[in-house]
Amino acid sequence: MVSLAVLLAAFEASTSVETWRSPTAEQKRYFAALAKWGVRLHWVEQLVNDPEADAHVAVDADLTDLDPAGVEPDAEPDALARDDQAA
């Protein structure tokens, strides 16, 4: 089990925030294996093997109701402040 953890850690260490732009063959196999094993990949990780995966991000993630700051347009600032204080 430890060997598997070390191996996966090595593959993970070989990735970066730029991996989706020009992945190596090993990185493609790594992300394909994760998906096959049932790991739910983030949409940017899906770009490694499917460059078209970002075509429906806003629709799939239901981001269409949010403004660029990630706050619902009709949310009241006072209500947001109360939520932050309660947490």
Side-chain angles (χ1 to χ4, degrees):
M1 196 60 92
V2 172
S3 296
L4 176 61
V6 170
L7 181 64
L8 291 175
F11 275 113
E12 192 65 32
S14 77
T15 65
S16 74
V17 296
E18 300 294 325
T19 298
W20 64 273
R21 292 180 190 255
S22 56
T24 64
E26 291 83 13
Q27 291 167 335
K28 287 182 178 184
R29 283 195 301 270
Y30 172 63
F31 283 103
L34 289 177
K36 183 178 177 182
W37 295 334
V39 174
R40 191 168 163 195
L41 299 177
H42 188 273
W43 67 268
V44 77
E45 293 172 329
Q46 294 173 13
L47 292 174
V48 171
N49 287 321
D50 181 10
E52 301 300 318
D54 67 340
H56 304 288
V57 170
V59 174
D60 292 344
D62 195 22
L63 299 176
T64 55
D65 294 338
L66 300 178
D67 73 3
V71 178
E72 292 182 24
D74 59 349
E76 296 179 23
D78 293 337
L80 294 174
R82 284 193 300 270
D83 290 344
D84 289 342
Q85 292 172 356

